[in-house]
Amino acid sequence: MTQLDKPKIFGVGFSKTGTTSLEAAFENLGRNVCKGDWRLKHNDYNLALYVDRNFEELRRMTHYWDAFADGPWGGGGLYKQLYDWYPDAFFVQTVRDPEMWYNSFERMITSFAEDEDLATALESYHQRGAYGSALFFRNVFQIKKLEGARDKIIDYYISANAEVEAFFESKAARFIRMDITNGEGWHELCSFLGVEKPNIPFPVKNVAPNSNASLLGVLAYAIQGGNFQRICRGKLKKVLNSCAAKL
């Protein structure tokens, strides 16, 4: 059986929920991964296809990889079509605390855009080259700018995640919910996929743990990714300070 003959794996979580780490994990498991990096030619194309609801062409694009993460595979409503096309596929929903997710999402846009003004940051994000993801976010969240949209975006994030879980409730053997930012990793993913756990740390890419995550969760996240010292200097310090303040 070739890689492309194996059941596909779709990451159906929103951007900034550990999707880059999930992509790296898929690669470590020997999968050919469709990545959501804005610099990749296929990414803008796939995102635009989703916004245009060109599902026929999107299905054609799924023929070229066997594992997928980030938009448009996650963060929208595509999971229903994906399940119709590939009922034997595996679906991985990455999640994190909604408030912390939004903070990371907003920071991603303003940092890339080099624009801290929420009234203009999304337009600047587009102007600096993130064409597909800017279009995708505007379409999915039904917004034109970040200013005044925090609650609307968080509400959508919560309701959309709940809808994904409800859809797969009767298909539990094909679905798993993971919080990578709170320490979940190889054990959960490999048990779900029925594959052997690699003898390497679970990859931690471009994601910081929740500042309100449990201390044990932060420690596990740091150790899994081999980034213990870096995280100790940042988020773990915040957690310890928070704990100390409550003593």
Side-chain angles (χ1 to χ4, degrees), residues 13-19 70-71 74-75 96-113 115-116 118 121-122 125 130 132-147 149-157 206-208 210:
F14 282 76
S15 299
K16 308 312 295 179
T17 60
T19 52
D70 217 330
R96 69 188 298 187
D97 172 81
E99 293 286 342
M100 300 310 300
W101 167 78
Y102 177 82
N103 291 340
S104 183
F105 169 75
E106 181 184 290
R107 186 165 57 249
M108 173 188 71
I109 291 175
T110 56
S111 296
F112 182 87
D115 185 355
E116 297 294 325
L118 298 186
L122 192 55
Y125 181 72
S133 55
L135 177 68
F136 181 73
F137 295 146
R138 284 173 172 152
N139 178 268
V140 166
F141 299 124
Q142 291 293 291
I143 59 171
K144 294 183 178 180
K145 57 186 178 179
L146 295 180
E147 185 180 45
R150 180 187 182 99
D151 289 346
K152 181 178 183 179
I153 293 172
I154 291 175
D155 286 346
Y156 179 84
Y157 171 82
N206 201 32
V207 176
N210 299 336

Side-chain angles (χ1 to χ4, degrees), residues 42 45-46 49 57-65 68:
H42 66 257
Y45 186 60
N46 288 338
L49 289 175
E57 181 66 6
L58 265 175
R59 184 174 188 176
R60 179 182 298 165
M61 294 298 289
T62 64
H63 297 164
Y64 306 140
W65 300 272
F68 307 77

Side-chain angles (χ1 to χ4, degrees), residues 5-24:
D5 291 329
K6 292 183 178 181
K8 294 184 184 293
I9 313 173
F10 293 100
V12 292
F14 282 76
S15 299
K16 308 312 295 179
T17 60
T19 52
T20 307
S21 300
L22 189 65
E23 291 171 352

Side-chain angles (χ1 to χ4, degrees), residues 195-222:
V195 298
E196 185 176 348
K197 176 181 173 182
N199 192 28
I200 55 174
F202 189 84
V204 176
K205 306 287 185 181
N206 201 32
V207 176
N210 299 336
S211 63
N212 65 343
S214 69
L215 179 58
L216 288 178
V218 175
L219 286 170
Y221 180 89

